């Protein structure tokens, strides 16, 4: 989403500071999976606020619909039926979408200046008019979130309603959630709220309940309260300790400046070889043009 | 000396030269447009192909075209690039090579060891660039590729591109500035007898013998 702003903390493929005079409070969306009833009101609110519609898909035998994130569905409910204790079926429903990492792999991978920005409030936002459609963000993301549109070849994902948050409103999914499973506020407040929820869940028999705010990506600005925080994989494969892949870190970390520098050095070495050692010439000047 | 300079020796046919320059032009376009997406310092090079999106669209197609061209060169020059014991000695004397002390080197055949290793580097890198490039090709193939594979592909693509660009910088320097008289081999197809005797003595003798 494009939004003129003065609180840009990080900007893809940019080596100088971005407009950042305005400092905003770090925000977070907290999704309490124990309170989610899987009604998909959040999916609908997301479509309505952003005014995009996915194609009507087909039923795959589960409640998951659409089956996966798409360029038009920036959030989808993932339904997992699990038996953590033998004979005790649990229906874990996770609202999937961008986690708004503090250390975003998409932004690190993106080659186009300003196509991905991170606001000082923690929101990671795609600026589609700068997107070139290369798909590097997909390789960079530890959560498999960005999707490229087949219509315009631009990458799309949840904006955390940056346009709403920017004017002091909560994200559309938060506003619409009928059970209060999704709440929004400062990251500090959300962590505190989560801790209260975890205490409550532990009292109710979920001994391993906890907050999902993975530190491998510097923490996230979308967090979950999980009943089984020791096994996040139960929730449709939520990664246990996500981090930017070492291959991506290598590619867009040290190799990027080192290889660029090395190419410059090779070219310069040629020049200095020429002006010191000089060319080799055969003895017939008239031929050597 | 005047005599040997007036005698021209055929080094490349018109078809060889066409093939070389076809690959060279596509290579330059690929190197510049690829660097543009590698480091922000080079992003301005996206203007070469008409902007970031056009760069993303055109780069892979140009890549396939270059691969096709390079396949031709590979077939043409494969046998001329077999590494010999003399080549290994030549590499050990690289300091003499860099210092232009040709008198200390063994007679060189059609290609010297530096040229041969560049050829084999390209033989490894270009197919690797093609394969990894196809794996990351949006929007046609990349959506079918598992993310772990895509990550490996982008990394290998960058590394292979780095190696080949560094190699080609040396190739261009040697051909245009360092070794005077080389350029005409690829532009006109001929070299002077003096040049051949000086830089590729074994090849020069071989050609002279054959032509007699």
């Amino acid at each position: 989403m494009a939004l003129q702003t003065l609180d840009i903390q990080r900007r893809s493929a940019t080596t100088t500071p971005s407009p950042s005079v305005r400092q905003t409070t770090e925000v977070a969306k907290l999704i309490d999976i124990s309170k989610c009833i899987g009604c998909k009101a959040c999916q609908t609110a997301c479509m309505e606020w952003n005014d995009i519609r996915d194609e009507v898909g087909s039923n795959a035998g589960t409640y998951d619909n659409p089956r996966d994130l798409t360029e038009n569905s920036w959030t989808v409910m993932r339904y997992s039926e699990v038996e953590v204790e033998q004979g005790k079926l649990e229906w874990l429903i996770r609202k999937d979408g961008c986690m708004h990492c503090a250390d975003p792999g998409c932004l690190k991978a993106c080659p186009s200046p300003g196509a991905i920005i991170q606001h000082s409030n923690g929101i990671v936002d795609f600026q589609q008019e700068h997107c070139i459609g290369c798909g590097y963000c997909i390789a960079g993301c530890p959560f498999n979130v960005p999707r490229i549109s087949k219509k315009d070849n631009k990458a799309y994902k949840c904006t955390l309603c940056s346009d709403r948050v920017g004017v002091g409103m909560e994200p559309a999914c938060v506003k619409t959630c009928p059970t209060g499973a999704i709440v929004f506020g400062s990251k500090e407040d959300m962590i505190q709220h989560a801790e209260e929820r975890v205490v409550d869940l532990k009292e109710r028999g979920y001994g391993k309940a906890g907050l999902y705010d993975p530190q491998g990506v510097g923490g996230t600005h979308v967090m979950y309260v999980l009943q089984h925080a020791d096994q996040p994989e139960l929730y449709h494969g939520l990664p246990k300790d996500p981090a930017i892949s070492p291959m991506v870190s290598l590619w867009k970390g040290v190799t990027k400046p080192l290889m660029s520098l090395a190419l410059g050095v090779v070219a310069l070495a040629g020049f200095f070889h020429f002006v010191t050692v000089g060319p080799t010439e055969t003895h017939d000047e008239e031929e050597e043009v | 000396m005047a005599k040997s300079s007036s005698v021209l020796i055929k080094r490349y046919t018109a078809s060889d030269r066409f093939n070389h320059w076809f690959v060279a032009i596509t290579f330059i376009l690929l190197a510049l447009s690829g660097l543009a997406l590698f480091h922000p310092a080079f992003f301005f090079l996206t203007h070469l192909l008409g902007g970031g999106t056009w760069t993303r669209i055109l780069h892979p197609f140009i890549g396939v075209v270059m691969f096709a061209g390079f396949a031709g060169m590979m077939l043409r020059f494969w046998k001329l690039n077999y590494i010999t014991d003399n080549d290994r000695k030549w590499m050990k004397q690289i300091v003499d090579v860099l210092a232009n002390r040709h008198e200390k080197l063994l007679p060189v055949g059609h290609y010297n060891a530096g040229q041969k290793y560049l050829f084999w580097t390209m033989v490894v890198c270009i197919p690797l660039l093609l394969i990894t490039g196809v794996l990351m090709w949006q929007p046609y193939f990349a959506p079918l590729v598992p993310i772990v594979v895509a990550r490996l592909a982008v990394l290998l693509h960058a590394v292979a591109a780095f190696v080949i660009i560094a190699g080609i910088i040396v190739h261009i320097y040697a051909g245009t500035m360092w070794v005077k008289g080389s350029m005409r081999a690829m532009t006109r197809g001929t070299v002077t007898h003096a040049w051949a005797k000086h830089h590729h003595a074994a090849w020069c003798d071989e050609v002279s013998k054959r032509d007699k």
Side-chain angles (χ1 to χ4, degrees), chain B residues 85-149:
Chain B
D85 285 341
N86 277 7
D87 292 324
R88 291 188 193 96
K89 282 176 195 150
W90 190 94
M91 286 309 287
K92 280 180 194 147
Q93 288 177 278
I94 194 72
V95 176
D96 291 326
V97 174
L98 288 170
N100 295 336
R101 289 191 288 263
H102 293 99
E103 65 282 1
K104 294 196 174 177
L105 302 172
L106 292 166
V108 172
H110 194 284
Y111 289 125
N112 65 43
Q115 293 171 299
K116 287 179 180 176
Y117 282 114
L118 179 72
F119 176 82
W120 295 114
T121 303
M122 294 186 72
V123 166
V124 172
C125 286
I126 289 178
L128 184 64
L129 285 162
L130 180 83
I131 295 163
T132 55
V134 167
L135 292 173
M136 59 203 279
W137 194 344
Q138 290 283 358
Y140 310 109
F141 301 101
L144 309 171
V145 176
I147 289 176
V148 181
V149 179

